[in-house]
Amino acid sequence: MKTIIEPFRIKSVEPIRMTTEAERSERLRDAGHNLFRIHADDVIIDLLTDSGTGAMSSEQWAGIMRGNESYAGAPSYYRFLEAMEALTGMTNVLPTHQGRASERILVEVIIGSGDTGRGLVVPNNAHFDTTRANIEHSGAVALDLLTPEGRDPARAALFKGNVDLERLEALLDERADDVPFVMVTITCNNNGGQPVSLENLQAVRSLCDRYDKLLFLDACRFAENAWFIKQREIVHQSRHVRDIARDQFALADGATISAKKDGLVNIGGVLLIRDDTLFERAGNLLILTEGFVTYGGLAGRDLEAMAIGFEEVLHEDYLRYRIRAVEYLGEKIAAGGVAIVQPPGGHAVYIDAADFCPHIPRHEFPGQALACGLYELGGVRSCEIGSVMLGEHADTELVRLAVPRRTYTKSHIDYVVEVVLELKARAQELRGYRIVEEPEALRHFTARFEPVEVPIAAGRADA
Ligand code: F0G
């Protein structure tokens, strides 16, 4: 059969509250036209993020009941440890409450705390915001080294998450002493959830060996990356995705993981460090700020859910459905004439908002206009990744439709496609925004906006 179905049945449901367009317009006004300020009950399809928003399996819920809440040495911790060892081949494993806690500890044990890292530079294909912020907080520079094709949203290529090896080599050649460690993010969230090939990871490993550098993975979406490798890197197509995932980890000296993505849980994280001395220091820091090394700021039941989630995520039926669902969303809206980052990534489809509403100049935030338009028209919540979020650092004006794992069915996705395409037909009606209130940092979370009034002479369709 050619139809790829959801490889699960639904046993427990969460009702969606239906709202009208008039109601949503009012909510949007009350929220200062900022979707982070909208009550989730007023959202029909929530594609704000794929992080911590997925559905757990019946096995995971059974694990939640089995969770043992002993402060030290809980059986749940040992089940978690065993699952992580089986997945990664690493034995030095710490649980943390989420990805950024792992990042903070990693940066502190290698670079130091406070502004100590002046002159240091940490390369990555592209640092996720929290990784960048933690590195910069230490005084070091977070450097992105994507290839030219990885930086071109319209260009479809198989592994747009790959590290630019020439630039990495040049950096290590010129200033090896300034590089405390190298990172690679799989998949690469910043440019559209794009995968990194195993060949590229192996080449990064060789460079790290040549210059005696530690290599860490930001492995939030390691299973989606492994699936892309199986599909697109021909020599691996007959291997099980579990073995490919393990190969990824085998190349690294450790990893930071947010379990809220491919851990298939609502909260949790992992820090892996092979080096025993660094690992011991990380454990001490964990105790200082998160919790004892056998629970790391989580409940025992969370460790059970992670142990099961990290195993389930590598079921090939699941990954086939998962990656296809996102690809299907991308295909349908692209076929309707909407420009997206090509090809669709593992966890999200990114719409080119500047192309969607060419009549809105960048300083009037086309991404904000599109995201608000999708909410108002269809109750679909998305996330602006452009001039609002990144200010003058934004190269592109994108809107991300992130798909939570195992949560929405194909008809939900079809509904989203319909909303996007109907809005596309009426894109001329979208107006730009101006910011009327903003905090000092991370303004996208709390800023308030107002639509820019369009003079009648500008000839709006409904003026
Ligand atoms: N690394 C990557 C690649 C991420 O995408 C995220 C989170 C993190 C690290 C941090 O993990 O949230 O558990 O502390 N990404 C979410 C998103 C927030 O919406 O893309 P965390």
Side-chain angles (χ1 to χ4, degrees):
M1 297 303 138
K2 71 177 193 325
T3 304
I4 296 169
I5 60 170
E6 287 85 357
F8 47 78
R9 294 186 296 179
I10 295 166
K11 161 151 19 192
S12 173
V13 298
E14 188 179 357
I16 292 174
R17 196 176 78 84
M18 300 312 250
T19 49
T20 63
E21 197 170 334
E23 203 178 323
R24 292 190 293 270
S25 299
E26 203 180 312
R27 296 287 172 276
L28 201 55
R29 255 197 319 277
D30 294 347
H33 300 269
N34 184 336
L35 297 176
F36 283 98
R37 289 178 172 274
I38 297 273
H39 195 304
D41 279 349
D42 299 325
V43 175
I44 294 180
I45 307 283
D46 204 344
L47 306 183
L48 187 65
T49 177
D50 65 317
S51 180
T53 51
M56 293 206 293
S57 66
S58 47
E59 268 311 302
Q60 285 177 295
W61 283 110
I64 290 275
M65 286 309 295
R66 265 198 313 272
N68 176 293
E69 304 303 338
S70 302
Y71 188 95
S76 299
Y77 162 73
Y78 288 104
R79 274 192 282 274
F80 162 74
L81 191 60
E82 213 174 284
M84 294 314 296
E85 286 178 12
L87 169 67
T88 66
M90 294 186 220
T91 49
N92 288 344
V93 183
L94 292 172
T96 61
H97 80 275
Q98 62 183 78
R100 66 199 70 180
S102 304
E103 293 157 13
R104 188 191 63 75
I105 293 171
L106 179 72
V107 169
E108 189 165 340
V109 295
I110 299 187
I111 300 180
S113 64
D115 202 357
T116 58
R118 290 207 172 282
L120 298 182
V121 49
V122 180
N124 197 331
N125 45 358
H127 291 276
F128 182 68
D129 317 23
T130 55
T131 326
R132 169 176 297 280
N134 272 297
I135 289 167
E136 289 176 350
H137 187 66
S138 78
V141 170
L143 181 68
D144 290 349
L145 292 179
L146 280 170
T147 60
E149 64 187 12
R151 284 180 277 126
D152 181 352
R155 191 149 139 209
L158 297 179
F159 290 104
K160 288 175 78 173
N162 280 357
V163 176
D164 188 326
L165 298 168
E166 274 174 36
R167 287 168 70 206
L168 178 61
E169 185 169 8
L171 174 76
L172 291 170
D173 204 41
E174 281 161 31
R175 358 182 355 196
D177 290 347
D178 297 335
V179 178
F181 61 96
V182 174
M183 280 192 95
V184 181
T185 305
I186 58 172
T187 59
C188 185
N189 190 358
N190 290 33
N191 71 338
Q194 301 294 327
V196 177
S197 71
L198 205 52
E199 188 184 16
N200 188 257
L201 263 187
Q202 282 157 345
V204 172
R205 174 76 262 172
S206 301
L207 283 173
C208 289
D209 286 343
R210 171 136 52 101
Y211 291 91
D212 198 19
K213 294 295 159 198
L214 295 171
L215 170 61
F216 284 87
L217 298 178
D218 174 341
C220 297
R221 300 180 180 88
F222 69 94
E224 292 168 5
N225 199 77
W227 182 256
F228 280 121
I229 289 173
K230 182 177 163 91
Q231 299 304 305
R232 299 182 182 177
E233 211 172 341
I234 221 81
V235 289
H236 301 294
Q237 64 185 0
S238 58
R239 302 180 62 208
H240 195 280
V241 74
R242 183 166 289 111
D243 298 325
I244 300 173
R246 203 171 155 118
D247 282 0
Q248 299 176 140
F249 287 107
L251 291 167
D253 296 297
T256 56
I257 307 181
S258 166
K260 300 171 73 172
K261 287 83 170 175
D262 279 349
L264 300 179
V265 291
N266 305 116
I267 195 71
V270 191
L271 175 60
L272 301 146
I273 308 182
R274 284 188 202 275
D275 181 274
D276 290 332
T277 312
L278 289 175
F279 181 68
E280 194 184 320
R281 290 205 337 243
N284 290 336
L285 262 182
L286 187 82
I287 295 171
L288 191 67
T289 57
E290 296 267 311
F292 188 56
V293 292
T294 64
Y295 73 89
L298 294 168
R301 53 180 164 270
D302 298 325
L303 298 173
E304 288 280 349
M306 275 204 281
I308 299 163
F310 277 118
E311 195 277 321
E312 284 181 354
V313 77
L314 288 167
H315 292 192
E316 295 199 334
D317 286 344
Y318 161 74
L319 282 168
R320 182 176 297 113
Y321 135 80
R322 164 69 178 162
I323 299 299
R324 177 59 194 150
V326 176
E327 185 185 55
Y328 174 84
L329 170 61
E331 256 173 38
K332 288 278 174 184
I333 61 179
V338 174
I340 61 167
V341 172
Q342 288 288 5
H347 67 292
V349 171
Y350 294 62
I351 300 177
D352 183 340
D355 186 86
F356 200 98
C357 13
H359 59 293
I360 301 177
R362 292 188 77 166
H363 67 271
E364 289 178 6
F365 311 120
Q368 190 67 19
L370 172 53
C372 289
L374 292 172
Y375 174 72
E376 205 167 356
L377 180 63
V380 175
R381 177 154 69 170
S382 56
C383 184
E384 192 266 5
I385 303 184
S387 292
V388 174
M389 185 186 274
L390 308 169
E392 72 258 29
H393 299 298
D395 295 330
T396 45
E397 302 294 334
L398 301 176
V399 167
R400 181 178 81 167
L401 305 172
V403 183
R405 293 171 181 78
R406 305 192 290 203
T407 302
Y408 292 116
T409 63
K410 183 157 174 282
S411 58
H412 290 121
I413 301 280
D414 283 333
Y415 173 82
V416 173
V417 170
E418 212 174 304
V419 173
V420 172
L421 297 186
E422 187 167 330
L423 191 65
K424 170 78 179 159
R426 294 165 44 180
Q428 274 303 317
E429 293 170 31
L430 291 172
R431 295 175 202 188
Y433 281 93
R434 62 189 175 85
I435 296 180
V436 290
E437 205 184 295
E438 67 178 303
E440 263 176 41
L442 298 172
R443 66 179 176 182
H444 58 287
F445 289 124
T446 53
R448 286 181 173 274
F449 300 82
E450 248 173 32
V452 173
E453 289 309 320
V454 179
I456 291 172
R460 277 171 37 80
D462 60 350

